[in-house]
Amino acid sequence: MFYEFNHLGSPDYLKIEKNKDFSFPPHLHQCFEIIIILSGQMKVIVDGKKFVLDKNQALLLFPNQIHELESTNSEHVLCIFSPKLVQAYATKLTGKIPTNNKFCPDGYLIDALEKLNISSSSAEKKGVLYSLCGQFDKSAEYVEKNADSEKLLYKMFSFVENNFSGECSLSKLSDITGYNYSYLSRHFKKTIGISFTTYVNHYRLSHACYLMENTENSILQCAYDSGFESLRNFNRSFKENFKITPMQYRKNLKAR
């Protein structure tokens, strides 16, 4: 199981893709995800619960739900999107998950989702996504995340989201949660597959990428606003993870 990083710092992140005969190992991320089957059949396991999806059936996955996909005879459309694109819905259900992720969206909403892309206006994106979430919400039932480990993991993710640009250490998290520093470190590594420090670094890098793409701020300012204490550390970390420098990354963006 691993954590999938999808531009965590981007409030308007949206990814839509079509695939055939698609399988993906257990993973989780901080985005919502909608999977709609266009033909054939797919098996999806969400937090240990198995769902079988047929044509025109769908799943709405909540942030940080562990899920895996398995199919050898299907075509689907998949949409991963930031909770901030449906902020009212996401805020209302903070700390909750659906008892059943499966639903059947109307055909016109499936068509509308397929037509969305990264260049679509914010209003268009939000309109389609809110409509899909609204349709799901009509018949959905929700429960609190009861497992202590899930609650703790949610607190750790929330802590990073609220503190990544400043002091974002396990020591501070330990003071806030009351959990032992070593326990937090082991729990995060065991559950997510990477260390807490690595996760924070990836989060910061993702936010820096968003700032470099969507603002005119200097690379130095993007680094500081993302929690890096020096440009040297930012450049080194960026190159280690993306194999190019931040300056090259920004040049590539402008050359699109």
Side-chain angles (χ1 to χ4, degrees):
M1 199 269 291
F2 64 96
Y3 203 99
E4 187 180 13
F5 290 88
N6 287 303
H7 292 276
L8 297 179
S10 171
D12 58 354
Y13 179 76
L14 175 71
K15 174 183 177 182
I16 298 176
E17 62 182 25
K18 283 186 178 181
N19 259 307
K20 290 184 177 180
D21 307 333
F22 182 75
S23 296
F24 205 79
H27 64 287
L28 71 162
H29 46 69
Q30 279 194 314
C31 291
F32 281 96
E33 181 172 336
I34 293 176
I35 305 165
I36 302 175
I37 305 304
L38 304 177
S39 66
Q41 188 178 85
M42 175 183 285
K43 181 177 76 172
V44 184
I45 298 177
V46 184
D47 291 339
K49 185 184 296 185
K50 179 180 175 181
F51 296 93
V52 177
L53 301 181
D54 295 309
K55 183 179 178 179
N56 295 331
Q57 293 183 330
L59 286 184
L60 175 60
L61 302 167
F62 274 42
N64 300 320
Q65 284 199 286
I66 300 171
H67 55 287
E68 60 180 299
L69 288 63
E70 182 180 330
S71 176
T72 57
N73 65 336
S74 71
E75 181 182 8
H76 73 275
V77 58
L78 180 148
C79 177
I80 300 173
F81 58 97
S82 167
K84 291 181 174 64
L85 285 173
V86 289
Q87 189 156 7
Y89 178 70
T91 300
K92 181 185 76 169
L93 295 169
T94 297
K96 296 182 180 181
I97 54 173
T99 57
N100 186 340
N101 298 81
K102 192 173 181 178
F103 73 117
C104 295
D106 291 335
Y108 77 91
L109 287 178
I110 298 175
D111 292 338
L113 182 66
E114 289 187 76
K115 292 175 183 176
L116 283 185
N117 55 63
I118 58 173
S119 62
S120 299
S121 69
S122 178
E124 186 177 3
K125 293 175 184 176
K126 291 180 179 181
V128 175
L129 296 174
Y130 264 117
S131 294
L132 284 163
C133 291
Q135 189 166 75
F136 175 82
D137 190 54
K138 284 181 180 179
S139 58
E141 295 181 359
Y142 305 96
V143 294
E144 298 287 341
K145 292 184 176 182
N146 292 321
D148 288 341
S149 62
E150 287 186 354
K151 287 183 179 179
L152 177 56
L153 198 59
Y154 175 78
K155 287 180 181 178
M156 297 178 83
F157 288 142
S158 295
F159 172 78
V160 175
E161 185 175 358
N162 294 324
N163 295 277
F164 72 91
S165 61
E167 183 185 354
C168 193
S169 66
L170 275 176
S171 296
K172 183 178 179 180
L173 180 60
S174 177
D175 291 339
I176 292 173
T177 62
Y179 283 91
N180 176 270
Y181 173 100
S182 297
Y183 174 79
L184 290 174
S185 179
R186 290 194 305 270
H187 177 72
F188 196 90
K189 180 68 179 290
K190 180 180 179 181
T191 307
I192 304 304
I194 59 175
S195 70
F196 180 79
T197 300
T198 298
Y199 173 76
V200 173
N201 190 58
H202 280 235
Y203 196 107
R204 287 171 168 165
L205 286 171
S206 180
H207 186 72
C209 287
Y210 173 77
L211 293 178
M212 286 192 289
E213 184 172 354
N214 293 279
T215 73
E216 296 299 322
N217 294 346
S218 67
I219 290 176
L220 176 61
Q221 190 63 50
C222 291
Y224 284 153
D225 289 346
S226 300
F228 290 93
E229 296 182 350
S230 72
L231 184 59
R232 181 181 179 183
N233 287 340
F234 175 59
N235 285 334
R236 183 178 66 249
S237 183
F238 197 96
K239 192 166 185 179
E240 285 177 355
N241 283 272
F242 300 121
K243 312 306 178 187
I244 60 173
T245 66
M247 186 174 293
Q248 289 171 321
Y249 179 83
R250 186 163 247 181
K251 285 181 178 178
N252 292 344
L253 290 173
K254 293 179 178 180
R256 286 179 180 175

